[in-house]
Amino acid sequence: MTIQEFRDYMASDKPVEGGSEVHMMFHKLSQEALQITADINSKYHTPEELHDLLEKLWGREVPKSVRMFPPFHTDCGKNTVVGERVFINMGCKFQDQGGIIIDEGALIGHNVVLATLNHMLEPSMRAGMTHAPIHIGKNVWIGANATVLAGVTIGDGAVVAAGAVVTKDVEANTIVGGVPAKVIKKIEIE
């Protein structure tokens, strides 16, 4: 299976069966991601060096304006897309098999978790997984220690408060917080 075949499969609504070709690709990509993130996290890299490592990790072109403060962890790496001027702070964990899109100008706080997978609930099928993409809009700010779950879209200009667990879509220019995250207020745009 190629990386593009993997991405195409993960763009479908089909579940991933334990032991399937796609599931085995998870393991292969995980080993690659572990090698690259070990390099990212083991020593200082200039912004240019880190940019090159992110392109290797994500398997695609990354805008030069993307910034990250390691450490960073992912168990796949090949299904993340980031826009211009995205900033990812220390300690983030991206489970990106289901797809993560982060639009331009987004700020991802310390220790944010983006999780695109869920295991099957039926015990005999527990090794299988369902998946759905996460889409973070333009100029979104996700506070420290927040978690965003599979299938969530966060609208442009929204803010996710520190520690929130986002289980549902967030409208543009809205502040959410809590567990599960609920609307705190709308952002007044002048």
Side-chain angles (χ1 to χ4, degrees):
M1 172 173 272
T2 67
I3 291 172
Q4 190 55 53
E5 288 170 336
F6 165 76
R7 289 176 178 152
D8 291 344
Y9 186 91
M10 296 309 288
S12 76
D13 288 333
K14 299 175 196 169
V16 175
E17 294 181 32
S20 67
E21 182 181 19
V22 175
H23 192 236
M24 294 299 101
M25 187 65 163
F26 279 17
H27 292 287
K28 177 180 185 265
L29 295 176
S30 292
Q31 293 306 304
E32 292 175 16
L34 288 169
Q35 286 181 315
I36 299 166
T37 56
D39 188 4
I40 289 171
N41 299 330
S42 66
K43 63 182 179 181
Y44 172 77
H45 295 283
T46 66
E48 296 77 21
E49 291 168 338
L50 187 55
H51 172 269
D52 293 346
L53 286 166
L54 290 175
E55 285 194 339
K56 185 176 174 185
L57 177 64
W58 291 335
R60 61 179 87 229
E61 215 171 291
V62 174
K64 298 277 188 198
S65 60
V66 169
R67 292 291 179 257
M68 176 187 286
F69 288 172
F72 175 76
H73 301 279
T74 183
D75 57 358
C76 178
K78 295 298 189 261
N79 215 2
T80 296
V81 178
V82 297
E84 295 283 349
R85 301 178 324 283
V86 166
F87 175 70
I88 300 167
N89 218 327
M90 291 183 198
C92 291
K93 296 173 181 71
F94 289 9
Q95 181 193 56
D96 72 329
Q97 287 91 333
I100 294 172
I101 298 170
I102 305 173
D103 288 338
E104 64 187 62
L107 305 174
I108 312 299
H110 287 88
N111 301 314
V112 166
V113 174
L114 304 180
T116 66
L117 295 177
N118 286 303
H119 285 278
M120 302 282 196
L121 291 178
E122 184 181 326
S124 66
M125 303 286 289
R126 193 64 46 89
M129 288 165 268
T130 60
H131 53 88
I134 292 171
H135 187 167
I136 298 169
K138 295 176 184 173
N139 301 309
V140 166
W141 174 21
I142 301 180
N145 296 303
T147 298
V148 180
L149 298 181
V152 168
T153 295
I154 300 176
D156 294 349
V159 175
V160 175
V165 177
V166 185
T167 61
K168 297 179 183 171
D169 290 353
V170 176
E171 290 184 23
N173 301 312
T174 302
I175 301 172
V176 298
V179 179
K182 296 189 182 338
V183 174
I184 295 171
K185 72 178 198 173
K186 292 292 277 181
I187 298 170
E188 300 293 328
I189 307 295
E190 295 180 26

